[in-house]
Amino acid sequence: AKNKQEKLSRAEKLSIGETDLDEFVGVANGDDYLDADEKAQYLAVCIDIRNSLSLGVDFDKYKSGTLLSRDASQSGPMLMGIATQDENTMKYTNVLEDTNRYDLYEALGADMLKLLKDLDLPEYDGSLDGVNISSVSDVYDHKDMLESKAKRDFIKYFDEEAGALRKWSKYPLMLFGYSAEEWCIANDLWNKFNLKCDFLTPVHVKLLADLYYKAAKTTIPAVYQFMEGLKKLASEVHKQNTDLLVHSAYSNFPFMQNYFKKESKSVFIYGKSAKKNGGVKDKVNLSVQVTTEKRNFHKTRSGTPANAIHAIDSDLLKM
């Protein structure tokens, strides 16, 4: 029950699974589960455990086998940590047995904030207080002082707003796992927060996106290198100028989807009845998206890393 206890560490979850196994299997076979806070989710976990046991797998050897499929948070970095055997990444995504529960978002956010505080920038002089930065040219005209203002604004904001640092770290991590560059992360942060934070300018979000990349390089180094490698693979796929479809070994998951450009096409639809329109059938002009034979190289390039991670996910679960 989420409102009755703190979040459990992976070791504590495993302990409950081992001691209450009969109860989980009983629920999966029809026992009452209506007292659970999240009935459907609880039943799904019980069915997963029952089905896993029926496979005859040695779970003393693969202790995280049933838990992996039910961890919806941080799954990309978690899987990459397992794949690369990077202890730092596995620690922060709670793969390793430990009585403490770690939070990758908080860890990355803390490193990002440290980098922000260590930035060698002149102290903000207050010259832009009350100034409406409304155009790109205004931003470039005041870029140096805006960076100083951004440093001051973010340090104050993260100090005063509970949970803000974790939230600002969570969105970049989700994008980072889908091969986004700093500008993409900055754009996403702008779209999500510019209406909530009246102090933001494009310089603010780009500065934080740059720092996030630097934090990822040291906090989760194996994941960072993993993503860089996948980007290089994506570039090679992009150069092929053709479809590429590879299936993962165990699960047969499609490694690469086929992406084609779409274009709008006008289509006229005629109504069936003409009685209410003076004997003339209604004619409606619709605009529809039609798939063409042209390749969408941008989607091909950006989709490769994400599909590779999903393929690893499906292989691990199947194994």
Side-chain angles (χ1 to χ4, degrees):
K2 289 192 293 187
N3 61 340
K4 297 183 179 70
Q5 62 189 23
E6 296 295 324
K7 285 188 174 182
L8 300 176
S9 70
R10 190 165 293 276
E12 288 169 322
K13 286 181 183 178
L14 184 62
S15 176
I16 291 174
E18 289 173 337
T19 56
D20 297 336
L21 185 59
D22 290 340
E23 184 176 343
F24 291 129
V25 175
V27 168
N29 287 319
D31 290 352
D32 181 41
Y33 61 93
L34 297 179
D35 290 335
D37 278 3
E38 297 184 7
K39 302 171 183 58
Q41 186 177 12
Y42 177 61
L43 178 59
V45 171
C46 294
I47 292 172
D48 263 8
I49 292 173
R50 182 195 64 187
N51 292 343
S52 298
L53 289 172
S54 70
L55 297 174
V57 175
D58 180 2
F59 285 102
D60 286 331
K61 186 176 181 182
Y62 303 105
K63 287 204 169 189
S64 65
T66 59
L67 297 175
L68 190 62
S69 66
R70 287 288 144 197
D71 193 335
S73 64
Q74 306 169 352
S75 58
M78 178 173 68
L79 293 168
M80 287 186 270
I82 294 170
T84 59
Q85 290 294 288
D86 178 71
E87 289 198 15
N88 214 32
T89 305
M90 290 192 288
K91 170 187 171 183
Y92 286 123
T93 52
N94 299 292
V95 170
L96 304 178
E97 286 194 41
D98 199 317
T99 54
N100 296 318
R101 182 176 178 85
Y102 299 94
D103 190 313
L104 179 58
Y105 302 137
E106 289 182 358
L108 272 166
D111 283 358
M112 185 170 63
L113 183 58
K114 184 179 183 302
L115 289 171
L116 179 68
K117 291 179 177 179
D118 291 343
L119 276 179
D120 186 17
L121 293 171
E123 188 173 346
Y124 176 59
D125 62 8
S127 61
L128 297 177
D129 288 349
V131 176
N132 181 22
I133 305 295
S134 57
S135 71
V136 174
S137 60
D138 291 335
V139 169
Y140 283 118
D141 288 343
H142 301 285
K143 184 176 181 296
D144 292 341
M145 193 49 61
L146 274 173
E147 288 188 343
S148 297
K149 184 177 186 298
K151 177 180 178 179
R152 187 207 64 173
D153 289 343
F154 276 130
I155 291 174
K156 182 174 182 291
Y157 176 64
F158 292 140
D159 183 56
E160 295 176 353
E161 293 289 328
L165 183 59
R166 186 180 189 276
K167 191 176 291 185
W168 275 74
S169 176
K170 182 176 181 178
Y171 290 121
L173 180 61
M174 293 165 69
L175 267 184
F176 180 72
Y178 282 86
S179 75
E181 303 291 349
E182 292 93 322
W183 275 110
C184 299
I185 291 175
N187 184 64
D188 188 67
L189 290 173
W190 174 260
N191 291 335
K192 281 185 168 64
F193 294 110
N194 82 87
L195 296 178
K196 301 174 185 177
C197 305
D198 56 7
F199 61 83
L200 286 186
T201 68
V203 172
H204 281 69
V205 290
K206 181 59 167 63
L207 180 70
L208 215 65
D210 288 342
L211 293 178
Y212 187 87
Y213 250 67
K214 291 180 181 177
K217 214 180 234 186
T218 54
T219 308
I220 46 174
V223 173
Y224 182 88
Q225 292 299 326
F226 194 94
M227 288 309 305
E228 289 300 301
L230 286 179
K231 287 178 188 177
K232 290 178 182 177
L233 171 63
S235 294
E236 292 304 314
V237 174
H238 169 68
K239 293 174 185 175
Q240 297 302 313
N241 195 19
T242 185
D243 291 342
L244 177 68
L245 188 64
V246 180
H247 288 79
S248 51
Y250 284 85
S251 64
N252 208 33
F253 185 91
F255 179 90
M256 184 65 205
Q257 295 179 16
N258 303 319
Y259 291 109
F260 294 90
K261 288 184 178 180
K262 293 184 178 182
E263 60 185 27
S264 295
K265 186 175 182 181
S266 292
V267 177
F268 289 101
I269 306 276
Y270 290 91
K272 291 183 179 179
S273 174
K275 291 180 181 179
K276 296 180 180 180
N277 199 29
V280 180
K281 289 185 177 181
D282 288 332
K283 183 179 179 182
V284 181
N285 184 12
L286 298 178
S287 178
V288 296
Q289 291 287 307
V290 178
T291 301
T292 68
E293 294 183 356
K294 301 173 184 175
R295 297 281 293 153
N296 189 324
F297 296 118
H298 174 71
K299 285 189 175 180
T300 301
R301 189 172 182 176
S302 62
T304 301
N307 281 324
I309 293 167
H310 288 311
I312 293 170
D313 184 2
S314 61
D315 269 5
L316 282 172
L317 294 180
K318 190 77 177 278
M319 285 190 285

